[in-house]
């Protein structure tokens, strides 16, 4: 039997409510970022199981500083901006202590509703009269959590005491996180209740939630986000609340709803008044301040531009484009920024500009690759990309069509699977189209794609048996992303293919790659070793053995079980396969992994050979990264040379055992005859993957070779070449720039109070280069010269290059909404400029080729890095005094002399939330400082190089990595002429 809180009809229950969010490192004396809300909360019954809640006298406060020295500061403008919404009554269902549906007028924002959810979450109580201690799954603002209830009764005081505890956030127990989790959270609720006629009355409720996050293992320290809530009963009033004169709509349930924080970056806060004017202002700033070299604030400004574009409507983008598309600098900034928006509007914009022939093929390719991998997958974007795949302008350009189809596969991986296009390609027996669609399904990586891919595989009884080896190879490799989600099914398929000794050896080796992607158990690896022991094909045996042997050296936690299994397998195979030469196929894997830091990198190569071939049949190289308990395949490049092998092997002279020079001459002669091959013959292919998603691939065939030759020898190319040479003779100048949002990794979590807490990592960079070239020829070239004359001319070039780059990386933990932010922010800034002045002389007729470096003016620092951690508090209503406080205060050695009684007063005189102070005065942590300058002379080039390093951290508090990184660090590299 449940005992539920009561709010009797005809009365209004008045509570005092406070919530506080405080983020930073747990030690006192360090800067923290915080937010506080205090108000009264009024609750009254409207009908059976339907109640009204209203917030009265709301006040918001911010903190960026050191408690208790710097108290929470009132934010009156923010309070005023939100007051109307906060004080608008809402309705909610409430039955037996369980909150149901919520209702509010249309004008109430999701952010304000989430604040209400934080209050309602305190009212969520499932009290059983028949049990004192029990567990249950309970829905709340943060989803369904496992909750432990402990109930006791103080009969003398006529009070019921309830303790409720739940785990707010835990990670799935992946191998990297078994010993230590990056993210942990727990919430404790304490209630004092009083029995009344038909239930209980909540007299007091205190909530304490603690979320901690570390990019490393917990033993290396962790940032914390603490949320405290206090609800204290004040009185009952003999009047009832009434809703406002407006229509109330259903606005969800108690569960937190994400709003525009998904688009709001936590790095900067912008009050948008006129989005078009603000975008133009940023564009002008970028163009004006990034001329000779990149401005150090350019990456942050580029992020600001992206943020403004994310707030713009499609019509705003259209107007911006029509105004600036004919201005090259503006045009490039716009086309580089729009794909990073990640919204359907960006994709629609690119599509319409493509259809209107307003973009070049290069501009379309760049924009499509970026936008389709950034955009959020939903029904709208899926339909947009699907329409693009069928558009004539895309279909007629194989390069663009491949980009769109691969991007479609990436979007499908985020949303839903497709198989129709593959079935159509198989029905038409269109080999190239089958390969493209297999790549699309490989990007999608959906388990439901196993069945259609199986039909393409060379398994007895399938229609795919008669297909070419290259198609089979693509089908096998398309299983790799699926293996991460459905390892068992893929494992069975891969093992079946590997064990088929009648199968092409190359396909068996590819099946071996896929098999180890599933991270097989020791039993399967041992079985594989016994198969290899009797394997007659030494290419397959060598490949499998080398793959196992390289995995035994892996130190990454993700490979721990496979490495142990391979260690056993290698001992079985060592006597037979340990000395095979590099004529045989090989797989290699190298990695470095630091367990305490949960940080590492890996490189793998797969070299697939055949004794009868002149060069490898296939070569795959892959790099991976391990960070904060997660793994990612960063870059992969693969090359196949199947057609080229067959073409070369048609020349028997190439197989003869002759000297190296003779064989090279014969290979060159054979290559010159490739143009006589049938047009359908693919000589080679290459693909590129980023983060497991194939973004581009190319087939090298007769058509491509003919096209390249025609392009290189065509009149247009010769005309362009002559124009370039003429410009160089008169002195040419070129300015290149490229902005890039290199990474945007975000995780947003609701806190108990209804505010979103964000963990994010951003990297933005802007690179630029100014190139000036002046050429002189002896004798001077006539106006209408021929390229053949260059062979008899002494050419002297003088080139000045000033490349520069600015890169910013931001790591954030804290509260992030469209109106207010309170977070810990670490920023790493890298700036570099390396000018060069190079002179070259080329005289082919005389056999002269000479390059020399000329003196050039060098800036004081050619490269500089600065890293600092701050506590940040700001709101859109009062951006000017945004508080940004270094985590280590300026006077780190001075003790705080305030009495301990002032600690509680720092929150507010009437605060119900208390920070318990030590009896001893709190002292600031002692900062560790280090400054050093290292110099070295390079006598040969007459330069002296110096590296200045300075660091100021708080490792004295706890000697762990996070505390060494928290603080301020800088390094600068400079070169000056040296005296001999």
């Amino acid at each position: 039997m449940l005992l539920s809180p009561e709010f009797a009809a005809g009365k209004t229950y008045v509570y005092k409510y406070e919530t506080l969010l405080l983020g930073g490192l747990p030690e006192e004396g360090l800067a923290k970022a915080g937010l506080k809300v205090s108000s009264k909360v009024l609750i009254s019954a409207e009908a059976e199981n339907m109640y009204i809640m209203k917030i009265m006298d709301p006040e918001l406060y911010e903190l960026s500083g050191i408690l208790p020295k710097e108290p929470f500061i009132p934010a009156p403008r923010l309070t005023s901006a939100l007051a109307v919404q906060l004080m608008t009554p809402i309705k909610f269902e409430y039955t037996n202590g369980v909150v149901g549906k919520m209702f509010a007028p249309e004008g109430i924002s999701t952010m304000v509703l989430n604040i209400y959810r934080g209050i309602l979450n305190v009212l969520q109580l499932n009290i059983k009269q028949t049990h004192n201690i029990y567990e249950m799954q309970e829905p709340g603002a943060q989803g369904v959590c496992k909750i432990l209830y402990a109930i006791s009764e103080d009969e003398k005081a006529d009070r019921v005491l309830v303790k409720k505890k739940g785990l707010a956030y835990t990670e799935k127990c992946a191998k990297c996180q078994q010993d230590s989790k990056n993210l942990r959270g727990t919430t404790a609720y304490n209630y004092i209740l009083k029995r009344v006629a038909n239930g209980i009355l909540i007299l007091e409720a205190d909530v304490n939630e603690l979320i901690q996050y570390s990019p490393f293992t917990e033993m290396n320290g962790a940032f914390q986000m603490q949320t405290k809530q206090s609800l204290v009963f004040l009185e009952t009033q003999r009047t009832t609340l009434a809703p406002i004169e407006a229509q109330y709509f259903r606005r969800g349930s108690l569960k937190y709803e994400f709003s525009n924080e998904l688009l709001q970056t936590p790095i900067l806060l912008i009050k948008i008044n006129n989005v078009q004017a603000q975008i133009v202002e940023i564009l002008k700033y970028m163009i004006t301040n990034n001329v000779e070299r990149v401005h150090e604030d350019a990456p942050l400004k580029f992020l600001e531009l992206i943020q403004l574009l994310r707030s713009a409507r499609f019509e705003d983008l259209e107007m911006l484009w029509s105004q600036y598309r004919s201005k090259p600098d503006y045009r490039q900034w716009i086309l580089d920024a729009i794909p990073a928006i990640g919204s359907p509007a960006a994709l629609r914009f690119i599509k319409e500009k493509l259809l209107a022939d307003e973009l070049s093929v290069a501009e379309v390719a760049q924009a499509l690759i970026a936008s389709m991998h950034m955009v959020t997958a939903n029904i709208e974007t899926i339909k947009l990309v699907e329409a693009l795949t069928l558009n004539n302008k895309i279909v007629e350009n194989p390069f663009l069509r491949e980009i769109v189809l691969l991007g479609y596969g990436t979007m499908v991986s985020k949303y839903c699977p497709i198989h129709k296009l593959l079935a159509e390609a198989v029905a038409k027996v269109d080999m190239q189209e089958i390969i493209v669609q297999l790549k699309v399904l490989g990007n999608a990586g959906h388990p439901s794609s196993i069945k259609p891919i199986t039909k393409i595989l060379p398994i007895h009884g399938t229609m795919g048996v008669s297909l070419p080896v290259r198609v089979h190879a693509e089908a096998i490799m398309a299983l790799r992303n699926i293996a991460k989600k459905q390892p068992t099914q893929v494992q069975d398929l891969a093992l079946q293919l590997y064990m088929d000794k009648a199968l092409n050896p190359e396909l068996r080796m590819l099946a071996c790659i896929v098999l180890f992607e599933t991270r097989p158990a020791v039993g399967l690896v041992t079985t594989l070793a016994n198969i290899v022991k009797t394997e007659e094909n030494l290419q397959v045996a060598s490949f499998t053995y080398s793959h196992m042997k390289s995995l035994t050296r892996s130190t990454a936690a993700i490979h721990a079980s496979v490495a142990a299994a391979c260690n056993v397998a290698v001992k079985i195979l060592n006597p037979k396969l340990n000395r095979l030469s590099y004529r045989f196929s090989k797989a290699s894997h190298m990695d470095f992994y630091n367990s305490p830091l949960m940080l590492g990198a890996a490189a793998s190569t797969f070299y697939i050979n055949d004794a009868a071939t002149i060069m490898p049949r296939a070569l795959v190289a892959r790099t991976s990264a391990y960070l904060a308990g997660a793994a990612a395949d960063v870059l992969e490049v693969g090359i196949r040379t199947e057609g080229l092998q067959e073409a070369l092997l048609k020349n028997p002279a190439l197989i003869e055992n002759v000297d190296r020079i003779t064989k090279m001459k014969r290979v060159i002669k054979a290559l010159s005859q490739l143009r006589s091959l049938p047009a359908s013959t693919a000589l080679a292919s290459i693909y590129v993957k980023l983060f497991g998603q194939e973004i581009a691939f190319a087939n090298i065939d007769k058509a491509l070779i003919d096209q390249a030759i025609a392009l290189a020898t065509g009149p247009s190319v010769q005309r362009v070449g002559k124009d370039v040479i003429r410009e160089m003779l008169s002195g040419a100048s070129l300015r290149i720039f490229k902005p890039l949002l290199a990474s945007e990794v975000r995780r947003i979590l609701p806190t108990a109070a209804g505010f979103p807490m964000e963990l994010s990592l951003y990297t933005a960079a802007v690179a630029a280069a100014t190139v000036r070239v002046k050429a002189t020829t002896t004798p001077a070239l006539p106006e209408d010269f021929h390229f053949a004359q260059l062979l008899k001319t002494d050419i002297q070039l003088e080139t000045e290059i000033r490349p520069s780059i600015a890169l910013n990386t931001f790591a954030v933990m804290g509260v992030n909404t469209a109106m207010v932010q309170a977070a810990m922010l670490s920023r790493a800034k890298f700036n570099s400029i390396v000018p060069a002045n190079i002179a070259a002389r080329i005289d082919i007729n005389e056999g002269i080729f000479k390059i020399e470096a000329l003196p050039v003016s060098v800036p004081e620092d050619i490269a500089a890095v600065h890293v600092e951690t701050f506590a940040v508090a700001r709101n859109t209503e009062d951006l000017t005094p945004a508080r940004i406080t270094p985590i280590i205060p300026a006077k780190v050695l001075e003790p705080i002399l305030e009495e301990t009684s002032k600690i509680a007063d720092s929150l507010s005189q009437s605060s119900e939330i208390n920070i318990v102070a030590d009896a001893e005065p709190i002292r600031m942590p002692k900062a560790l400082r280090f400054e050093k300058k290292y110099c070295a002379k390079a006598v040969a080039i007459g330069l002296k190089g110096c590296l200045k390093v300075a660091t100021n951290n708080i490792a004295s508090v706890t000697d762990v990595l996070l505390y060494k990184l928290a603080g301020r660090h800088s390094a600068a590299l400079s070169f000056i002429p040296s005296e001999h």
Side-chain angles (χ1 to χ4, degrees), residues 472-507:
H472 292 154
E474 293 291 350
I476 293 171
M477 296 300 270
L479 293 169
R480 291 166 66 197
N481 275 345
I482 302 173
K484 297 171 184 176
K485 301 174 184 176
Q486 199 77 351
T488 306
Q489 276 185 269
V490 173
Q491 204 171 79
D492 294 343
L493 262 178
L495 186 61
Q496 183 180 350
L497 292 165
Y498 183 84
M499 292 178 67
D500 185 355
K501 297 193 176 184
L503 203 60
N504 184 295
E506 180 185 352
L507 300 181

Side-chain angles (χ1 to χ4, degrees), residues 312-318 321 335 338-339 341-356 358-359 364 367-368 371-372 375-376 378 380-388 391 411:
R313 302 167 302 158
F314 176 77
E315 292 75 17
D316 295 319
L317 300 182
E318 283 280 7
W321 177 253
L335 288 177
I338 283 180
I341 297 174
S343 70
L347 205 53
R348 181 184 163 196
F349 172 86
I350 295 163
K351 176 187 173 184
E352 294 200 2
K353 298 310 118 191
L354 164 68
L355 299 183
E358 294 180 20
L359 300 177
V364 173
L368 283 175
S371 62
M372 284 200 290
V375 73
T376 302
N378 54 33
E380 183 182 356
T381 52
I382 289 281
K383 286 182 177 179
L384 265 172
V385 180
E386 189 174 12
L388 271 176
N391 186 271
M411 294 190 68

Side-chain angles (χ1 to χ4, degrees), residues 293-569:
R293 63 177 293 178
V294 175
H295 193 278
E296 64 176 1
D297 290 332
L300 185 60
K301 285 292 183 181
F302 183 57
L303 285 171
E304 187 174 345
L305 175 61
I306 292 170
Q307 182 63 53
L308 288 166
L309 288 168
R310 285 176 175 175
S311 304
R313 302 167 302 158
F314 176 77
E315 292 75 17
D316 295 319
L317 300 182
E318 283 280 7
M319 193 170 293
L320 187 71
W321 177 253
S322 63
Q323 188 176 355
Y324 292 105
R325 68 181 181 184
S326 59
K327 299 180 178 180
D329 286 351
Y330 283 89
R331 180 188 181 98
Q332 185 174 339
W333 279 107
I334 292 168
L335 288 177
D336 282 329
I338 283 180
I341 297 174
S343 70
L347 205 53
R348 181 184 163 196
F349 172 86
I350 295 163
K351 176 187 173 184
E352 294 200 2
K353 298 310 118 191
L354 164 68
L355 299 183
D357 287 324
E358 294 180 20
L359 300 177
S360 67
V361 172
E363 287 173 333
V364 173
Q366 169 195 295
L368 283 175
I369 288 175
S371 62
M372 284 200 290
H373 289 269
M374 288 288 292
V375 73
T376 302
N378 54 33
I379 292 294
E380 183 182 356
T381 52
I382 289 281
K383 286 182 177 179
L384 265 172
V385 180
E386 189 174 12
L388 271 176
T389 64
L390 304 173
N391 186 271
N392 289 336
K393 289 186 182 292
I394 296 292
V395 172
E396 291 167 4
N397 188 313
F399 177 58
L400 293 181
R401 183 171 181 269
E402 288 167 4
I403 289 172
V404 171
L405 283 171
L406 292 174
Y408 191 25
T410 298
M411 294 190 68
V412 164
S413 74
K414 305 174 188 175
Y415 199 77
C416 62
I418 52 161
H419 306 119
K420 181 182 175 183
L421 294 175
L422 176 62
E424 290 175 357
V426 172
K428 294 176 185 175
V429 198
D430 184 340
M431 299 306 166
Q432 187 56 38
E433 186 63 14
I434 293 172
I435 288 169
V436 171
Q437 298 306 329
L438 285 169
K439 289 176 179 291
V440 171
L441 294 185
N443 271 9
H446 269 275
S448 59
S449 298
I450 292 177
K451 188 174 181 181
I453 292 173
T454 302
K455 293 178 181 178
I456 310 297
L457 294 172
I459 296 173
H460 180 70
T462 67
M463 66 179 76
V465 172
S466 59
L467 293 172
V469 169
R470 186 174 171 224
V471 174
H472 292 154
E474 293 291 350
I476 293 171
M477 296 300 270
L479 293 169
R480 291 166 66 197
N481 275 345
I482 302 173
K484 297 171 184 176
K485 301 174 184 176
Q486 199 77 351
T488 306
Q489 276 185 269
V490 173
Q491 204 171 79
D492 294 343
L493 262 178
L495 186 61
Q496 183 180 350
L497 292 165
Y498 183 84
M499 292 178 67
D500 185 355
K501 297 193 176 184
L503 203 60
N504 184 295
E506 180 185 352
L507 300 181
R508 294 180 65 198
M509 287 183 258
L510 293 177
C512 178
I513 294 173
V514 173
L515 191 61
F516 278 101
E517 292 280 343
T518 67
R519 300 193 176 88
V522 62
L524 181 54
V525 175
T526 307
T527 301
L528 206 63
N530 287 320
I531 295 170
V532 174
K533 201 171 182 181
T534 58
E535 178 59 57
E536 295 178 0
N537 188 303
L538 287 181
Q539 295 291 346
V540 175
S542 172
F543 185 87
T544 311
Y545 171 75
S546 61
H547 200 349
M548 290 178 173
K549 190 171 183 180
S550 63
L551 284 172
T552 62
R553 296 187 288 269
S554 175
T555 58
I558 199 169
H559 291 132
S561 59
V562 177
C566 288
N567 202 34
V568 175

